[in-house]
Amino acid sequence: MIYANEYQQVRPARKKDIRAIQLLTKTAVDSDELVKRTRTVIEKNLGDYFIFEIDKNPVACVALHVYPEQKKGELACLYVNPLHENRGIGRKLIQYIENKAREMNLTELITLSTQAFTYFQSKGGFMEGTPDDLPPARREKYEQSGRNSKVLVKKLK
Ligand SMILES: CC(C)(COP(=O)(O)OP(=O)(O)OC[C@H]1O[C@@H](n2cnc3c(N)ncnc32)[C@H](O)[C@@H]1OP(=O)(O)O)[C@@H](O)C(=O)NCCC(=O)NCCS
């Protein structure tokens, strides 16, 4: 799959993208599709975030949080600006994260979703999982969150 051409590409997020990530995902946060992330939280894990840009404008984002002990990665914060939806950008970002996870030798990709469950199954090749699939630290956060997210899993090996 091609991630870049002369006018669009996936690239690591930079410090100046933090505001863009917050603005981009605001609608999804307000409607409870995504968890609210503070500037500090994003900044602390900035290396986990990637931006999809068209003509230098961020139009989508995604993150990969790694749990090295369990060799698992969590795909998080996937959001595509509605003006650019249904053009395969979401799928490209999932594929990008999956490739990164494979390069890092992770054995499993997990994701949590309240409203895009069917999307991850039908377009991302994820299977329904359970909270037991989450690394212990992530499971604790999940239980404290009170969000009724569903767990999805994609085996990489
Ligand atoms: C879900 C989302 C990432 C899809 O991005 P996208 O770039 O529009 O998706 P793609 O172009 O790769 O795929 C489009 C296909 O997925 C389907 N689709 C889109 N959202 C869907 C959903 N929530 N549930 C099921 N199918 C969905 C479309 O109908 C389309 O189907 P088709 O190809 O058979 O016509 C995007 O709509 C979004 O950001 N949603 C809000 C945030 C969210 O819920 N994020 C996931 C939590 S981590």
Side-chain angles (χ1 to χ4, degrees):
M1 198 174 302
I2 296 162
Y3 304 110
N5 61 29
E6 67 282 3
Y7 74 101
Q8 64 178 44
Q9 66 164 338
V10 184
R11 60 158 178 84
R14 303 186 274 259
K15 211 168 164 183
K16 71 171 172 58
D17 296 313
I18 298 177
R19 187 81 194 118
I21 295 171
Q22 287 183 310
L23 284 173
L24 197 57
T25 54
K26 187 180 183 311
T27 328
V29 169
D30 290 347
S31 60
D32 218 23
E33 287 163 302
L34 289 180
V35 184
K36 188 170 172 132
R37 291 165 168 83
T38 62
R39 191 184 169 85
T40 320
V41 163
I42 299 176
E43 193 169 348
K44 216 175 118 200
N45 302 297
L46 195 58
D48 293 358
Y49 288 80
F50 299 88
I51 301 285
F52 188 100
E53 64 178 16
I54 299 180
D55 288 335
K56 305 247 176 340
N57 296 311
V59 301
C61 59
V62 71
L64 172 63
H65 304 308
V66 179
Y67 295 86
E69 275 177 40
Q70 288 79 23
K71 289 193 158 236
K72 293 189 184 191
E74 178 187 358
L75 182 154
C77 201
L78 176 65
Y79 186 79
V80 179
N81 181 324
L83 291 173
H84 298 273
E85 69 186 6
N86 293 324
R87 295 194 206 163
I89 297 176
R91 256 172 290 196
K92 275 188 187 159
L93 286 175
I94 294 175
Q95 189 64 54
Y96 185 87
I97 292 301
E98 188 178 324
N99 291 352
K100 281 232 155 284
R102 286 184 194 276
E103 279 167 21
M104 292 168 142
N105 249 329
L106 304 180
T107 57
E108 208 172 285
L109 209 52
I110 51 168
T111 192
L112 284 104
S113 181
T114 54
Q115 291 165 50
F117 181 76
T118 319
Y119 176 78
F120 281 113
Q121 277 187 321
S122 60
K123 312 295 174 192
F126 282 76
M127 314 267 276
E128 180 162 9
T130 73
D132 287 338
D133 292 307
L134 302 174
R138 185 63 185 92
R139 177 158 189 174
E140 201 174 306
K141 239 174 85 186
Y142 169 81
E143 273 156 16
Q144 283 165 1
S145 77
R147 285 167 64 80
N148 231 338
S149 314
K150 284 189 177 165
V151 177
L152 291 118
V153 179
K154 185 162 185 177
K155 298 252 183 250
L156 303 179
K157 289 204 172 154

